[in-house]
Each structure stands twice: as structure tokens, then as C-alpha cells.
């Protein structure tokens, strides 16, 4: 008994020593930036004026929380995340059902529909800005003129809607890929039995396919929401947060505070607020996904 206990102790110590470098590097990678952000959030630190320095207490947080720009940015962030999730989950589910069917050229069609996910966000934003949504030379302007409608200046009149469309185009292939993989594990015998009992396509989708995709949909929502909270490149390339603050989300507001206003303390306080918001969302999503995985 003593030898076995000693063996477990030595094995556990050896395993700990092997894992220690990777765990230590991961902790440093996470804790050092977090601690620096917390430190600067309580400091007066302006890059243009080095004489503005010293301990600020909660002044940076008070200024941000009483600034209407913060609440506008948070509202835009929630709208952006909510609409993109709705579009990608609903569209991804319907496309997954469609691409599960047999038709000529299905392999090529799957490849083409998944391709946008591998395009860099900056390139996607440039494509939509200069080729699709341009009010004079864009494809959408040509279609509007073709049917007798007036072309829309998307980034001036509908800036947040434009960002939502661009980001949805980028993330729809991801949702499709996950949901298509999940739908392929659906038992064909169950579907055939439902058809023999007289169930139509809508009933099969609602009572068999959709419950089967519940876990995959939860995973898609969790992963997408984590990334959608930090959308930046699409806004920077197309609208620069404007007009005014119409398309400014929380990530872009932090960029404005840090690199345009040169207020490192205020930007760090915004970063801490963003971290708290992201963790609240992550905890809620993890519990929701875990609940679905248990059922």
C-alpha cells in the first residue's frame, strides 16, 4: 500500500512538473495584461501630456459611466451581437437543412458558401464598402436602379445595419459548418419513420431536426457571442464609428479613448468594463450550454 501511494505521489509530481511551464506561461499571458489594465484604469495617464499623472481613484470609471457615449456604445454592441446571432443561427439552420439534401453540384455549393468565413475581416469590409454597398458603383446600387428604386448610401444612412450585414456575411458560414456537421448525425431511420407516419417537411424540421440541433445551436451562440463582442476591423474600415456614434461599439469606443484621445486611463477603465461584460455573458452562455448538454 505504501509503495502504491508513493508511486501515485511521484507520478503526480512528475505530471505537475511537466505541466508547470505551460500553465505558468498561460497565467503570465493572461494576468500581466489584466493587472496592467487594472493599474492604468486607476491612473491619470495621457500620452500627449505627461504632466497629467498620479492616482485617479475611480474618476476614470465615474467619467465613463456618466458619459452618454458609453451607453450608446453598449447599446450598439448589444444590437450588433443580437442581430448577427439571429441572422446567423436562423440562416445557418435553414442552409444546413438545404445543403443536407441531395442536388447537383452540392459539393461545390458547400465550398462556396463556407468560403466567406476564411476571408479576413478587413478584406470583407473593403469588399462590401467598395464593391457591394457603394452608393454609385456598388452591386446593390445597380440592383436598386435596375428595379427602379433609388440607391441607398448605406454607411451614411444605415451605418449599424451595414455593419450587421457585413458581420453576418462573415459568420453565417461558421454557423452553417457547425450545424451541417450536427445535422449529418441525425438518424435517417427516425426521419423515414416520421415520413411513413404522414409527417410533412415542416413537421419533420420542427419536431425532429430542430431538437436534434439544439446543442449545436447553443455552441454556435456561445462561440459567436464571445467574438462578436470584440468586432473592430469592420467598423474601422467602413464607418469609423460614425456618423457620430451611430456605429460605435464598446471595442471601438475603447480604441477612440486610447489612440485618438490618448487617454490611457480612461481606455483602461473601458477595457475593465468590457471584461466584466464579457465575463457576465460568458458565464450565462456556459451555464445555458451545459444545461442543454445535460438534456
Amino acid at each position: 500500500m505504501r509503495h502504491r501511494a508513493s508511486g501515485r505521489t511521484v507520478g503526480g509530481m512528475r505530471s505537475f512538473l511537466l505541466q508547470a511551464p505551460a500553465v505558468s506561461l498561460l497565467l503570465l499571458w493572461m494576468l500581466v495584461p489584466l493587472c496592467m489594465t487594472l493599474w492604468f484604469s486607476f491612473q491619470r495617464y495621457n500620452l500627449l501630456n505627461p504632466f497629467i499623472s498620479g492616482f485617479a481613484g475611480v474618476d476614470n470609471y465615474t467619467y465613463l459611466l456618466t458619459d452618454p457615449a458609453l451607453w450608446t456604445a453598449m447599446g450598439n454592441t448589444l444590437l450588433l451581437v443580437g442581430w448577427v446571432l439571429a441572422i446567423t443561427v436562423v440562416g445557418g439552420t435553414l442552409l444546413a437543412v438545404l445543403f443536407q439534401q441531395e442536388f447537383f453540384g452540392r459539393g461545390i455549393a458547400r465550398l462556396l458558401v463556407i468560403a466567406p468565413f476564411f476571408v479576413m475581416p478587413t478584406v470583407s469590409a473593403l469588399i462590401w464598402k467598395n464593391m457591394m454597398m457603394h452608393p454609385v458603383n456598388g452591386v446593390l446600387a445597380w440592383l436598386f436602379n435596375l428595379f427602379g428604386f433609388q440607391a441607398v448610401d448605406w454607411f451614411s444612412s444605415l451605418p449599424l445595419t451595414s455593419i450587421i450585414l457585413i458581420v453576418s456575411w462573415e459568420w453565417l458560414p461558421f454557423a452553417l459548418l457547425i450545424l451541417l456537421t450536427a445535422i449529418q448525425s441525425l438518424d435517417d431511420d427516425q426521419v423515414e419513420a416520421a415520413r411513413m407516419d404522414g409527417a410533412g417537411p415542416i413537421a419533420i424540421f420542427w419536431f425532429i431536426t430542430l431538437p436534434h440541433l439544439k446543442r449545436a445551436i447553443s455552441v454556435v451562440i456561445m462561440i459567436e457571442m464571445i467574438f462578436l463582442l470584440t468586432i473592430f476591423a469592420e467598423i474601422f474600415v467602413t464607418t469609423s464609428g460614425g456618423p457620430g456614434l451611430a456605429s460605435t461599439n464598446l471595442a471601438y469606443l475603447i480604441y477612440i479613448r486610447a489612440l485618438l484621445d490618448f487617454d490611457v486611463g480612461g481606455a483602461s477603465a473601458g477595457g475593465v468594463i468590457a471584461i466584466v461584460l464579457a465575463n457576465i455573458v460568458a458565464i450565462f452562455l456556459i451555464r445555458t450550454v451545459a444545461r442543454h448538454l445535460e438534456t
Side-chain angles (χ1 to χ4, degrees):
M1 180 71 73
R2 185 178 302 170
H3 290 294
R4 274 187 289 176
S6 177
R8 285 200 299 268
T9 303
V10 173
M13 180 63 66
R14 186 182 296 112
S15 176
F16 173 77
L17 292 176
L18 290 174
Q19 296 175 6
V23 174
S24 301
L25 180 61
L26 182 61
L27 288 176
L28 288 175
W29 188 270
M30 297 172 57
L31 291 178
V32 171
L34 178 61
C35 292
M36 291 183 65
T37 302
L38 285 172
W39 168 257
F40 283 122
S41 69
F42 293 105
Q43 302 295 316
R44 296 185 180 89
Y45 187 10
N46 190 289
L47 294 175
L48 290 181
N49 192 347
F51 297 102
I52 300 178
S53 60
F55 183 70
V58 295
D59 289 348
N60 291 326
Y61 292 95
T62 303
Y63 174 77
L64 267 180
L65 293 174
T66 55
D67 186 5
L70 174 67
W71 302 105
T72 301
M74 292 184 68
N76 290 338
T77 302
L78 294 177
L79 285 174
L80 174 62
V81 172
W83 276 109
V84 172
L85 283 176
I87 293 171
T88 55
V89 169
V90 174
T93 303
L94 296 178
L95 286 175
V97 174
L98 173 63
F99 282 99
Q100 180 64 10
Q101 311 303 315
E102 292 285 348
F103 59 88
F104 177 76
R106 185 177 66 170
I108 298 176
R110 285 180 176 180
L111 179 63
L112 292 176
V113 78
I114 294 173
F117 183 66
F118 301 101
V119 180
M120 290 183 294
T122 306
V123 178
S124 299
L126 287 172
I127 290 173
W128 279 87
K129 180 180 181 180
N130 298 319
M131 298 180 61
M132 299 297 296
M133 291 181 169
H134 194 280
V136 178
N137 302 317
V139 174
L140 295 180
W142 176 78
L143 289 175
F144 275 102
N145 293 328
L146 183 65
F147 290 99
F149 299 103
Q150 185 177 0
V152 178
D153 190 354
W154 291 89
F155 298 109
S156 296
S157 57
L158 299 169
L160 189 60
T161 302
S162 305
I163 301 298
I164 290 172
L165 291 176
I166 295 172
V167 177
S168 299
W169 180 77
E170 294 173 353
W171 282 93
L172 182 59
F174 171 78
L176 169 61
L177 188 62
I178 300 298
L179 296 173
L180 183 59
T181 304
I183 205 173
Q184 288 175 346
S185 64
L186 181 62
D187 189 3
D188 293 334
D189 294 337
Q190 186 179 3
V191 177
E192 288 298 326
R195 286 201 185 102
M196 293 178 63
D197 289 338
I202 297 178
I204 292 175
F205 171 78
W206 190 259
F207 293 105
I208 297 178
T209 305
L210 201 56
H212 178 77
L213 294 176
K214 182 172 63 175
R215 296 183 180 182
I217 290 174
S218 301
V219 172
V220 168
I221 292 175
M222 182 180 68
I223 296 175
E224 282 195 14
M225 185 170 286
I226 293 172
F227 284 95
L228 293 176
L229 288 171
T230 61
I231 291 294
F232 174 81
E234 295 84 350
I235 298 174
F236 178 79
V237 171
T238 55
T239 64
S240 296
L245 296 172
S247 58
T248 298
N249 65 347
L250 192 54
Y252 198 82
L253 181 67
I254 295 171
Y255 162 77
I256 292 175
R257 290 284 184 267
L259 298 179
L260 297 185
D261 296 343
F262 300 99
D263 183 9
V264 176
S268 300
V272 173
I273 294 174
I275 292 171
V276 173
L277 178 63
N279 277 275
I280 292 174
V281 172
I283 292 172
F284 170 76
L285 288 175
I286 289 172
R287 289 184 176 180
T288 303
V289 172
R291 192 182 307 119
H292 287 166
L293 291 177
E294 290 174 358
T295 58

